[in-house]
Amino acid sequence: MNLGPMEYTVARIDGDYAYLRQVDQPQEEEKCVARALLPPEIAEGSKLHYEMMEYSLA
């Protein structure tokens, strides 16, 4: 389990889930995360910082 820090971009939002793309490894598969774990103000294209199991807007 990687506790970060890592940077993501919100690739798309689908209902209660957001699909995140890791900034430094864009070729990797998108990560599906429940929106309840993310800041409420995210939108497609938002930049996120992940560290110690918490997401914040970058």
Side-chain angles (χ1 to χ4, degrees), residues 7 20-31:
E7 303 297 324
L20 309 181
R21 181 150 316 271
Q22 195 169 335
V23 171
D24 64 342
Q25 295 181 358
Q27 72 282 2
E28 293 292 319
E29 185 175 338
E30 293 176 349
K31 179 178 180 179

Side-chain angles (χ1 to χ4, degrees), residues 12-50:
R12 60 189 170 98
I13 296 174
D14 186 10
D16 291 335
Y17 296 92
Y19 292 84
L20 309 181
R21 181 150 316 271
Q22 195 169 335
V23 171
D24 64 342
Q25 295 181 358
Q27 72 282 2
E28 293 292 319
E29 185 175 338
E30 293 176 349
K31 179 178 180 179
C32 181
V33 178
R35 288 186 66 191
L37 300 174
L38 302 172
E41 59 273 8
I42 66 162
E44 290 183 6
S46 294
K47 305 289 185 196
L48 296 173
H49 177 79
Y50 172 80

